[in-house]
Amino acid sequence: MAGPESIPDVLLNHGLQLIVTSRAPAADWHRLPTSPSVVEVGPFDREESVRFLMSNLRGLAEADVDRLAEHLDDLPLALDRAARLFAPGTTVDSFLLRVARDIHLLVGDDHSGAGAPSVEAAIREAVESLPAGAGMTSRSVLGALALMEGQPYPTPRADVPPPWPPWRSANGSLPPERQFPLHSLAAVVMPDLERRGLVKPVDGGVRVAWITGHLVRRVLSPKDHELAAQAAEMMLLGTVPDSPGTAAWEYWPSWRRSARALVAIDPGCMTTAPGRRALLAACDSLIAQGDARRALARLLTLREAWRNMEGVPLDARTQALDLLGRASYELGDLRSASSYGASAFRARRLANDLWERDPLALSGAAHWALATGHQGWLVKLRQFAEWLPDQRLALRIGSFEMLVRARSVYGLCLADTIHELLCVQSDLLSPEHPHTVFTMELLSDAYYRSGRSDEARAALSKVIELRTRTLGPGHPHTRAVVTKEHLRYHEEE
């Protein structure tokens, strides 16, 4: 029920006892002449939300139910509607996608003749009370957080030391009029929004709940949307290093904190060259962190959005194809990986006669050659890369070459060659670098095939230790090498 005005006078004046639920302020009900008993009920806590959903939804794992409750911000009305709308066999992702098209399904008032739901009306009132205008106002920042689809935003702070190794913020590549000292967000804007109950602190950052974000976006004016999109680009670029569209290993901690918010944002919000590069680097980061499926879905959306968007250069579109090929390869779809890689390679050759001097072009072509198992191309690409000042790419392509050769009849003779490559990578990159660990796994395989079981076992144990430390125990590459160790152990037994 919306509020006291919804109850006809004839009911109030006849001494009837009514039990109603309402989202109107308690003070409105206390002003009635009948002095009703008012009990205020807030949102569920997470344990209550999960218990409620688990008792009403069958066939969902507790982790999925917890994720659904988080998206619905533990709002009792939304949880109840979700329990009634959730069809058997539906996934949480597909359900959220469906209700996102009409958020009224989750927050709409039941009584007939209702206008805007009272939940939405409360959000509108809160948004309209916020300071507006150009720049980082409370309203534009709230809108920017709402555009991040419930993903946390790691708020930069002046009292936090710079990352090591230090990096240049991608925000510094924006035009001067688009730059802003983002640490002031943590000191002024975020506390104001938190006091109003519009954002929640999350592990060194803040977020707007998924359902609240949808409601905020519904009540923003077109001008507010435009300012929110500009704020979102400035805010997100302030949390990641400037890059050519790749997430360098030494900066992974920054990308881990920001990649999900970056890939959740509408590509139309990222209108500058640094913004587009950050989107690509975020997808690159997700692939490296073992979330290739999410990266693939986002890259497909990105490619479709950029197809008809003015101002997106060919190199950004081509790099998106490269990343689609990498994500497909990680997911075991070699046909798609080869197709995307071939398309990117053709585009670069047509657009640039000197593609063989471009590190991004060589890297993309190397991943394509790996997907197709084309050893001859890898040799040629490595030779091109050796002419570059930075030898890290040549070593990476050398690892790909060793992998393809190891799968051929020549694999038995590779252990010493791979060991030499590993020593160079360890010195240049560091023993913990993912590319070094990749080569170490190849060396373990080569030792094993050559009958050098003790050396193979020692190398594989080191790979497991390093992957667990740098990628985490749940990363697909970590799990794969642990499985390999178990299989070898049982084979030897």
Side-chain angles (χ1 to χ4, degrees), residues 332-362:
D333 185 355
L334 299 185
R335 170 181 273 182
S336 295
S338 176
S339 175
Y340 287 128
S343 297
F345 185 64
R346 284 196 300 268
R348 286 199 172 98
R349 291 193 70 173
L350 289 173
N352 185 5
D353 292 336
L354 300 177
W355 63 269
E356 65 272 13
R357 300 182 187 178
D358 179 359
L360 288 177
L362 292 175

Side-chain angles (χ1 to χ4, degrees), residues 6 11 18 115 123 128 152 180-181 208 222 230 236 240 262 311 342 364 372 414 417 438:
S6 304
L11 296 179
L18 305 173
I123 292 292
E128 290 175 350
F180 185 84
V208 169
Q230 292 177 6
L236 288 168
V240 294
L262 269 163
T372 58
L414 285 179
T417 305
F438 176 86

